[in-house]
Amino acid sequence: MTINTKLPVGRPREFDLDEAVRRAMQIFWDRGFHDASLPDLLGGMQLSKGSFYKAFGDKKSVFLRALEFYTDDGVRNVQEVLRSAPSPKAAIRNALVRYADLSSGKKGVRGCFGVLTAAEMLPGDPDIAEVIKRLFSRLQALFAATIAKGQAAGEIANRSDPEVIAHFIVSHAQGMRVLGKVGSRRDEMLKDADLLMEMLF
């Protein structure tokens, strides 16, 4: 999607709205909502002040769009991993390995934008709360569907409610993202993933 704005000389200029939001996401991810100043955002998004307000209205609107982009990307990536193997059990382990990768090294220290946002903005902001709640619900639904498939095929012996097992997995995965902020190692995360698989399946 593109937005037409006006240069001082009256010539039209186009910028990609989605790309501008993704640039803003990087600023918010590094600095949080409150510490990301308008000059930070204008510089990162490569927009003039007038273009910013014309396109988005205010800082909160940009933040919500950036958070929606992040959560949509995250859900899509997990969905792809859970479809990466014909075995539901193997697919779940693949997803946990991906979380181990995201929760270690530089990515781990940077953390999860969703988790960081929840820590900064909740419970005081109902708009943000709805986006974060929807993120975790969507992730849980993906894992639950994979677990149910494994149970139906006889590959997963645990007969507990798939939603309950999925909630446990999502809770553990988000905990991994938090631990990554303090420099947890990948080998530690993988051992945790193996233990979780052993406990559940």
Side-chain angles (χ1 to χ4, degrees), residues 69-80:
F69 273 20
Y70 180 84
T71 58
D72 286 347
D73 287 346
V75 170
R76 183 168 52 253
N77 289 335
V78 170
Q79 184 177 54
E80 289 175 357

Side-chain angles (χ1 to χ4, degrees), residues 92-105:
I92 291 169
R93 189 180 187 282
N94 289 344
L96 291 174
V97 169
R98 179 177 177 274
Y99 275 111
D101 291 337
L102 292 173
S103 303
S104 55

Side-chain angles (χ1 to χ4, degrees), residues 98-115:
R98 179 177 177 274
Y99 275 111
D101 291 337
L102 292 173
S103 303
S104 55
K106 291 182 179 180
K107 290 181 179 179
V109 172
R110 193 182 194 198
C112 168
F113 183 36
V115 171

Side-chain angles (χ1 to χ4, degrees), residues 1-195:
M1 180 176 182
T2 58
I3 296 293
N4 290 326
T5 59
K6 296 290 185 179
L7 294 169
V9 294
R11 294 176 60 190
R13 181 181 67 181
E14 292 187 344
F15 69 89
D16 187 285
L17 185 64
D18 290 349
E19 181 59 30
V21 172
R22 290 191 180 280
R23 291 188 184 122
M25 181 175 70
Q26 301 302 321
I27 303 297
F28 287 126
W29 196 343
D30 289 334
R31 305 189 184 189
F33 176 78
H34 292 105
D35 287 343
S37 67
L38 181 59
D40 292 333
L41 291 169
L42 296 180
M45 298 171 75
Q46 302 174 19
L47 296 180
S48 69
K49 190 174 182 179
S51 296
F52 176 90
Y53 282 114
K54 181 178 180 181
F56 302 107
D58 57 26
K59 176 180 169 182
K60 173 72 175 295
S61 296
V62 180
F63 186 83
L64 280 169
R65 294 190 69 158
L67 188 61
E68 290 277 9
F69 273 20
Y70 180 84
T71 58
D72 286 347
D73 287 346
V75 170
R76 183 168 52 253
N77 289 335
V78 170
Q79 184 177 54
E80 289 175 357
V81 174
L82 289 176
R83 293 174 176 174
S84 66
S87 159
K89 190 173 178 180
I92 291 169
R93 189 180 187 282
N94 289 344
L96 291 174
V97 169
R98 179 177 177 274
Y99 275 111
D101 291 337
L102 292 173
S103 303
S104 55
K106 291 182 179 180
K107 290 181 179 179
V109 172
R110 193 182 194 198
C112 168
F113 183 36
V115 171
L116 296 173
T117 296
E120 180 187 10
M121 304 291 285
L122 304 185
D125 191 307
D127 296 327
I128 300 296
E130 181 59 31
V131 177
I132 298 297
K133 180 180 179 181
R134 188 163 62 248
L135 165 64
F136 294 144
S137 294
R138 292 167 72 190
L139 291 174
Q140 183 174 327
L142 289 175
F143 278 104
T146 306
I147 292 162
K149 182 179 177 181
Q151 289 177 333
E155 182 181 296
I156 293 177
N158 189 335
R159 305 313 299 178
S160 299
D161 184 340
E163 290 287 344
V164 173
I165 303 174
H167 186 275
F168 187 85
I169 291 173
V170 171
S171 298
H172 180 85
Q174 299 312 312
M176 292 170 71
R177 301 306 306 272
V178 173
L179 290 175
K181 292 287 292 178
V182 296
S184 291
R185 302 192 315 270
R186 184 175 185 273
D187 63 322
E188 294 174 330
M189 297 291 186
L190 290 176
K191 288 178 182 177
D192 288 348
D194 287 339
L195 179 60

